[in-house]
Amino acid sequence: MQMSSHQGSYDEVDPASPSGIPHPYAGWSPSIPKHARTITVPELEELVAEYGEAARRIMEAGFDGVMIHGANGYLACELLSRVFNKRTDAYGATSKAGLSIFST
């Protein structure tokens, strides 16, 4: 089962990225936001809990595993990217805790 997630800085409703860095295509199209806000630690903690709950429900439904869609500039991709993620807290791209956000 594949789980899609927040579209990160590319999200039309709530453009947010780990460090407030806009999407590389920002401004190329009216649908691509020119600015992104920095996602907060409480929001990241909530995201971790939501991923866990979604994975639990998927496994209870009988699926064998979970694949998180994190390509194409989605927030998951931005969290793992040293280009987008300049955070110095536990969710930084180079921190062990930051990388473990997507592991079991």
Side-chain angles (χ1 to χ4, degrees), residues 9-104:
S9 62
Y10 196 77
D11 195 282
E12 293 178 39
V13 176
D14 181 24
S17 72
S19 303
I21 297 171
H23 193 276
Y25 299 147
W28 287 19
S29 164
S31 66
I32 303 173
K34 293 182 181 176
H35 306 283
R37 67 178 181 81
T38 301
I39 195 162
T40 66
V41 169
E43 289 173 314
L44 288 168
E45 290 169 348
E46 181 179 355
L47 181 67
V48 170
E50 289 173 352
Y51 271 117
E53 283 297 307
R56 180 190 54 76
R57 289 190 303 273
I58 289 168
M59 300 302 279
E60 285 177 358
F63 290 91
D64 294 331
V66 176
M67 178 177 73
I68 299 171
H69 177 65
N72 310 85
Y74 275 53
L75 185 58
C77 176
E78 293 177 352
L79 281 165
L80 297 172
S81 168
R82 290 182 180 166
V83 173
F84 281 96
N85 191 346
K86 305 291 186 189
R87 299 177 78 97
T88 57
D89 61 14
Y91 293 100
T94 58
S95 75
K96 191 172 184 179
L99 296 175
S100 67
I101 190 173
F102 299 107
S103 67
T104 55

